[in-house]
């Protein structure tokens, strides 16, 4: 007799991808092969796409697995359903209502809220890209996170305004955000569209591999420009202008000018901080205006590399040149014309 089964597998949100689906769920629209419930399973989790693997290696991604449900035989049928663990009993109703793709995403998020609120993982801090062995058949929640991050959970807002729980890992330059994922073991091969159907051809896979698709965002740091005057002509304000350019991966990610004006009451040193510059960006700071009566005694061009969650400083020192021309000043409004920065000078006071 041919038994018809329906698959409830579906694509994840943009946060993660498990071979194009959320989880392999015992279906009701095909003929399933025999399931050996005594055979141990393994799961290999690849934390990102091929283009991200090298950078992800420095993010030290580890995996926590929570056993949400035990695989339970269906009488007279060669497949299985779920017997939810006590802590996840309230998920059973959603599962019984034949969830669609969006429902499965919500189910994974709900499972994560329970798991991360004091539940003990079945597997803790397993390395990515390697088989996690000796798993019994059932439904597992996969949490990917950075091994050295204590507070690794956060929420992100979708385009529709709803918030979703994600976990994070950080490399030197990027923050990766992973959505929680539900995976059923054993599973079957995905079809050409990335869907898994328990009615599909082939044997049950007790050694299964999934690939996550996290979102990736730049990490940021800050640049501090420090200006010191070793001597100061007190007749006029002294204004200094700096052109700041930051490049990363061959692209300009920041270009602007900043100024500092010294007066009698401002002391001999000032600084300005430029925030939210991408980590790893190479920054060049050039002093392009030193007033009418000052000369730079350090190099007029300084470079730095932006660190993660920190401030890097570049320093410039100027000295009064005894010409008595007055320091002059400029406004804080700048405009780049034909590739050159232009600003409006405030006339020197006589």
């Amino acid at each position: 007799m041919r038994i018809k089964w329906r698959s409830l597998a579906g694509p994840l949100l943009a946060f993660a991808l498990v071979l194009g689906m959320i989880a392999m769920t015992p279906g009701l629209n095909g003929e399933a092969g025999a399931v050996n419930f005594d055979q141990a399973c393994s799961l290999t989790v690849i934390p990102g796409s091929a283009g991200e693997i090298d950078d992800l290696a420095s993010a030290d991604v580890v995996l926590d697995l929570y056993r949400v449900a035990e695989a339970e035989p269906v009488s007279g049928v060669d497949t299985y359903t779920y017997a939810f663990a006590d802590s996840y009993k309230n998920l059973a109703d959603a599962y019984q209502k034949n969830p669609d793709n969006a429902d499965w995403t919500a189910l994974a998020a709900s499972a994560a809220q329970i798991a991360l609120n004091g539940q003990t993982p079945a597997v803790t801090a397993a390395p990515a890209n390697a088989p996690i062995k000796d798993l019994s058949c059932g439904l597992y929640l996969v949490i990917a996170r950075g091994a050295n991050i204590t507070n690794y959970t956060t929420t992100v807002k979708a385009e529709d305004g709803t918030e979703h729980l994600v976990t994070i890992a950080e490399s030197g330059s990027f923050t990766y955000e992973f959505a929680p994922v539900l995976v059923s073991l054993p599973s079957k091969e995905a079809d050409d569209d990335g869907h898994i159907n328990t009615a599909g051809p082939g044997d049950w896979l007790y050694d299964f591999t999934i690939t996550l698709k996290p979102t990736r965002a730049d990490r940021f740091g800050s640049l501090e420009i420090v200006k010191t005057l070793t001597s100061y002509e007190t007749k006029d304000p002294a204004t200094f202008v700096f052109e700041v350019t930051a490049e990363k991966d061959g692209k300009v990610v920041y270009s602007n000018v900043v100024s500092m004006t010294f007066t009698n009451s401002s002391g001999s040193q000032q600084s300005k901080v430029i925030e939210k510059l991408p980590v790893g960006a190479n920054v060049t700071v050039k002093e392009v205006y030193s007033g009418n009566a000052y000369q730079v005694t350090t190099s007029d061009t300084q470079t730095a590399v932006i660190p993660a969650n920190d401030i890097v400083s570049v320093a410039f020192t100027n000295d009064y040149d005894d010409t008595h021309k007055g320091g002059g000043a400029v406004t804080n409004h700048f405009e780049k014309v034909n590739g050159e920065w232009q600003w409006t000078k405030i006339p020197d006071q006589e």
Side-chain angles (χ1 to χ4, degrees):
M1 180 178 71
R2 183 177 178 82
I3 306 296
K4 296 293 185 180
W5 295 94
R6 179 170 54 79
S7 174
L8 300 178
L12 273 175
L13 294 179
F15 302 124
L17 182 69
V18 183
L19 299 177
M21 43 75 76
I22 290 177
M24 187 288 298
T25 305
L28 302 172
N29 66 347
E31 186 175 14
V35 180
N36 182 357
F37 293 97
D38 294 326
Q39 183 169 340
C41 302
S42 73
L43 177 67
T44 301
V45 179
I46 300 171
S49 65
E52 299 169 329
I53 289 300
D54 289 343
D55 187 67
L56 275 165
S58 65
D60 197 11
V61 178
V62 295
L63 309 159
D64 296 333
L65 266 58
Y66 295 83
R67 194 163 186 244
V68 173
E70 180 183 354
E72 188 173 70
V74 178
S75 179
V77 180
D78 290 330
T79 188
Y80 61 90
T81 186
Y82 297 132
F84 284 86
D86 288 343
S87 298
Y88 303 94
K89 287 285 189 184
N90 64 336
L91 303 181
D93 288 342
Y95 170 69
Q96 295 297 335
K97 292 178 181 178
N98 302 326
D100 59 15
N101 298 343
D103 294 329
W104 266 110
T105 300
L107 197 65
S110 296
Q113 293 284 358
I114 297 169
L116 297 173
N117 191 27
Q119 300 304 310
T120 301
V123 177
T124 302
N129 301 303
I132 304 171
K133 298 181 178 180
D134 298 324
L135 301 174
S136 56
C137 300
L139 182 65
Y140 291 86
L141 175 72
V142 180
I143 298 294
R145 60 179 175 87
N148 298 317
I149 301 177
T150 301
N151 298 316
Y152 54 83
T153 61
T154 187
T155 56
V156 295
K157 185 171 290 187
E159 292 182 359
D160 62 3
T162 58
E163 292 188 341
H164 303 275
L165 181 146
V166 296
T167 50
I168 63 173
E170 293 177 335
S171 68
S173 298
F174 299 102
T175 295
Y176 293 87
E177 296 175 347
F178 298 90
V181 175
L182 287 171
V183 177
S184 194
L185 298 175
S187 187
K188 285 198 172 183
E189 290 283 2
D191 62 21
D192 292 339
D193 295 323
H195 298 134
I196 294 177
N197 191 333
T198 59
D203 297 329
W204 290 101
L205 300 177
Y206 296 88
D207 301 310
F208 195 52
T209 298
I210 62 174
T211 300
L212 306 180
K213 190 178 180 181
T215 58
R216 185 171 83 169
D218 284 318
R219 299 180 69 189
F220 294 103
S222 300
L223 172 74
E224 179 185 41
I225 304 172
V226 180
K227 163 61 69 178
T228 302
L229 296 184
T230 55
S231 60
Y232 175 61
E233 197 286 316
T234 60
K235 183 176 69 170
D236 297 309
T239 298
F240 305 89
V241 180
F242 305 88
E243 182 177 16
V244 183
T245 304
E247 296 185 357
K248 184 174 181 179
D249 299 329
K251 297 180 180 179
V252 175
V253 294
Y254 181 90
S255 181
N256 207 343
V257 290
V258 298
S259 66
M260 300 181 204
T261 298
F262 288 76
T263 63
N264 287 336
S265 61
S266 60
S268 61
Q269 188 176 86
Q270 291 188 39
S271 65
K272 283 200 172 180
V273 175
I274 302 171
E275 299 179 331
K276 288 189 71 68
L277 296 174
V279 169
N282 295 290
V283 182
T284 300
V285 183
K286 181 177 176 63
E287 185 170 314
V288 294
Y289 180 74
S290 302
N292 290 332
Y294 294 85
Q295 59 185 1
V296 60
T297 58
T298 54
S299 172
D300 67 354
T301 302
Q302 306 281 346
T303 60
V305 178
I306 300 300
N309 302 324
D310 203 353
I311 299 176
V312 64
S313 295
V314 292
F316 297 83
T317 301
N318 289 65
D319 194 13
Y320 178 57
D321 64 8
D322 294 318
T323 61
H324 305 286
K325 293 179 181 179
V330 296
T331 68
N332 288 326
H333 177 74
F334 303 94
E335 185 178 3
K336 203 165 191 178
V337 179
N338 297 325
E340 297 292 333
W341 286 107
Q342 296 184 1
W343 57 89
T344 303
K345 294 183 182 180
I346 298 174
D348 296 335
Q349 301 176 4
E350 295 297 332

